Amino acid sequence: MRLSTQLLLGIVGITVITQSILGLIAYWIIADVDKTYAFQTLRQQAEDVAHNVAIPLVTGDTDNLALEQTHRYFAPTADLSLILDRGGLRGAAGTALPEIDQKSLAERLQQSMAGGNNTSGQIDLPAGKFRWVATPVVGLPLQLVLLHHAGASGSALTATLNSRFFATSLAILWVAVWIALLFASVISRKLDQKTSALRHQVTHDTLTGLPNRSLLYEELSSAISTAEATANIALMVIDINRFKHINDTLGYDFGDQLLLEIGARIRHILPEHTFLARLGGNEFAVYLADTSEQQATACTQHILAAMHTPFTVNQVELEVSLSIGLALFPQHADDADALVRCADVAMHQARESHTSCSIYNGEKDSHSVRTLLLGAELRSAISGGQLVLFYQPKISLDKGEVSGFEALVRWDHPTLGLIPPDEFIDLAEQTGAIQDLTNWVLEEALYFLRKLHRNGFSLGVAVNISTQSLRDFQLKPRIMELLKSTGIAAHHLTLEITENVMMQDIDFAQEVLESLHKLGLHISIDDFGTGFSSLAYLNHLPVDELKVDRSFVLRMMNSSEDLAIVESVVELAHTLGCSVVAEGVEDREVLTALGDMRCDSAQGYHIAKPQPAERIQPWLEDYTAGTASPAEARMSTGSPAI
Ligand code: C2E
Ligand code: CA
Ligand code: CA
């Protein structure tokens, strides 16, 4: 029900209730007045009759006749006149009440008057309730009693009062209805204005005045619910690249101004009724109803093109680039929530791949959801003992002996199974869990090595060290402590640091590696050939080993360029006084070729896959006993390696 109708009904209702209460009170008052008035009239008549009946009675006329005449003449409203003396009924006159036993009535009246003071009252008779008034007949020992039906229609005064009251009520009601109408329309108009101002405030962004996220959801939901089966709806999520950097360097006021300008420029190039919203922060959204993928893509290109002209804010000229994610209903999502999420994921995909615009891709999305979940669980997985360390042997190519192992971590997830490190090492870096991970790997690897040493295998272990771990000031003291507690000599521990990490901050790397090298640790540059090592710097770094990236080794028999790279790395390493390890050796042919080019060591599936700790000693025993060729040894382990 509309507010104005509610107000109208409310005011009219209150008026009717008030009038009813007042009417009831008025009725009581009138009834009271009416009763008093009726008694007064009856008494007046009784006195008239009593005065006039006395003469005929005194002059000897018969009681009844005299009474009849005076009753008719002087008591027009009385139903019955009675003359009583001490003995009871003396005479009666009146039109009504034939069924009344007048004698017993006279007795009842005399009983009522018994006190002497009672000269009026009410009496119940078969015909109803009657008012009675008694008065002495002047000069005679008689009492005259007049009776009048109490239920008879009220007096003229009552009738007048009733009709006036009724008219007044109607008038008040009429006025009330009009006042209510007036009130209702004024109040509801004011409320409507307030409500729409409030709604605007809640559904629009205060800075740009554009619709906000909640209005976007509302519009999208209603568009989706009413969309025809063949209709397409496209949603773009637009992110301003490096906006945080702009805010940090040029200030928030500048950022706000820039947002206004960008919003206005996007608005300007969009077709008139296209919905543009600000999602908050540096994100806008555009939704196109009844469109196709081609049209939506063309629209994103227009938006991107509009950014080519730099923005000028407070005399500062600035170039702005965007990342736009595009998702379509019904191809990618079937409700507003999912559509916004898909466009958001696509926007992140665009930003990460530096492609400006990306259409939602379900496969990449499920990967990113899994990544998110893993990221949240990783820390507790480390402390909860879900990590396992596998070891992959390296052999020297001249003697064919095992020269050591590389420790490679896996996550034994309770529901997802064994997860390879490529899926969670980056996550560990991003979430800060890498320190705990590296500490765990170092401890596990060194205690494993101690066991091997005690069993007569005096070999080394290599541990991968990520960027952040290298920057961790606790790394060195932690390694020293572990070497001390396990009694392992420092030269048995190799730290593998990828070439890229090293080249990011060469001065820092040099300082840290030198201090670790001084401890006696071996330093190996991992994935060598994928980065951009400057030979000049390489010469100054305390490096003991280069590990040729497996991508070159894997392809070296099929690609002369890759073969040339492997040969150059071997040569470079020897020139620098380092040893070379080729990883990714998957067959005998490669192993022989590496031996021919005087590569020092080899690591790969042909020799052995990475295996859990408990498989290593049996494998070593088999291998050193020479019971199996490298490839056969791998087979014979029946290793569950991954
Ligand atoms: P990486 O250091 O280059 O490790 C060698 C990778 O090559 C391992 O993958 C190994 O299983 C694989 N591999 C060995 N032989 C062959 C072969 O013959 N053919 C092929 N195709 N691959 C071979 P994995 O174990 O999946 O490790 C992947 C990467 O994860 C490692 O690359 C390393 O960068 C990182 N990683 C592993 N464990 C750790 C760790 O404890 N700490 C850190 N920071 N990173 C680790
Ligand atoms: Ca490695
Ligand atoms: Ca490697």
Side-chain angles (χ1 to χ4, degrees), residues 83-286:
I83 297 280
L84 308 178
D85 63 11
R86 278 180 209 283
L89 182 69
R90 175 86 168 265
T95 50
L97 319 177
E99 73 274 24
I100 291 179
D101 176 356
Q102 293 178 351
K103 271 195 173 168
S104 70
L105 172 62
E107 278 167 21
R108 282 174 67 191
L109 286 169
Q110 271 180 324
Q111 276 168 13
S112 300
M113 287 184 279
N117 293 332
N118 255 357
T119 58
S120 65
Q122 297 211 70
I123 188 162
D124 284 324
L125 296 175
K129 207 181 265 292
F130 281 77
R131 293 189 190 107
W132 61 266
V133 169
T135 188
V137 178
V138 185
L140 294 171
L142 301 173
Q143 286 281 341
L144 173 75
V145 182
L146 292 195
L147 283 103
H148 180 63
H149 199 292
S153 61
S155 63
L157 174 68
T158 316
T160 314
L161 282 176
N162 274 344
S163 63
R164 281 190 188 168
F165 180 75
F166 186 66
T168 316
S169 296
L170 273 183
I172 290 174
L173 199 64
W174 189 79
V175 171
V177 168
W178 279 105
I179 290 176
L181 270 174
L182 203 72
F183 252 116
S185 77
V186 170
I187 290 176
S188 77
R189 204 174 325 128
K190 285 213 163 144
L191 278 175
D192 280 352
Q193 281 168 0
K194 276 227 163 104
T195 313
S196 66
L198 211 68
R199 187 175 148 68
H200 190 274
Q201 213 177 331
V202 172
T203 54
H204 286 74
D205 169 48
T206 37
L207 175 68
T208 57
L210 290 171
N212 62 13
R213 188 181 279 273
S214 68
L215 189 55
L216 173 77
Y217 271 93
E218 221 174 88
E219 291 286 321
L220 263 184
S221 303
S222 88
I224 285 174
S225 63
T226 54
E228 287 175 14
T230 51
N232 265 323
I233 292 171
L235 178 73
M236 288 174 221
V237 168
I238 305 170
D239 182 86
I240 305 164
N241 297 332
R242 295 170 45 248
F243 190 73
K244 185 181 177 311
H245 181 67
I246 296 170
N247 260 343
D248 289 348
T249 43
L250 296 165
Y252 285 88
D253 284 346
F254 185 94
D256 283 354
Q257 279 304 313
L258 185 64
L259 273 173
L260 276 172
E261 298 263 335
I262 294 173
R265 201 179 281 185
I266 297 176
R267 172 76 279 165
H268 185 69
I269 57 133
L270 288 174
E272 203 181 337
H273 296 296
T274 315
F275 190 92
L276 169 68
R278 183 179 170 213
L279 298 181
N282 60 337
E283 279 185 8
F284 291 90
V286 173

Side-chain angles (χ1 to χ4, degrees), residues 406 464 496 498 526-528 547-550 583:
E406 179 177 4
N464 292 284
E496 291 191 12
T498 57
D526 203 357
D527 301 345
F528 195 82
K547 273 188 107 168
V548 194
D549 189 66
R550 64 180 181 276
E583 61 179 5

Side-chain angles (χ1 to χ4, degrees), residues 344-424:
D344 203 45
V345 168
M347 183 275 287
H348 280 97
Q349 286 165 358
R351 201 168 53 188
E352 276 158 25
S353 56
H354 304 282
T355 46
S356 300
C357 174
S358 165
I359 299 179
Y360 175 75
N361 178 329
E363 271 174 37
K364 285 189 194 163
D365 186 24
S366 62
H367 178 74
S368 61
V369 169
R370 180 177 154 116
T371 309
L372 269 179
L373 294 175
L374 290 181
E377 287 177 43
L378 185 54
R379 215 179 261 276
S380 60
I382 299 170
S383 57
Q386 289 178 19
L387 296 187
V388 276
L389 208 52
F390 277 37
Y391 298 91
Q392 188 177 30
K394 287 187 277 185
I395 56 163
S396 65
L397 283 168
D398 54 350
K399 294 184 187 149
E401 288 170 356
V402 178
S403 57
F405 296 91
E406 179 177 4
L408 294 159
V409 71
R410 276 98 183 84
W411 179 353
D412 190 8
H413 193 280
T415 53
L416 302 171
L418 218 51
I419 303 172
D422 284 335
E423 253 194 79
F424 62 89

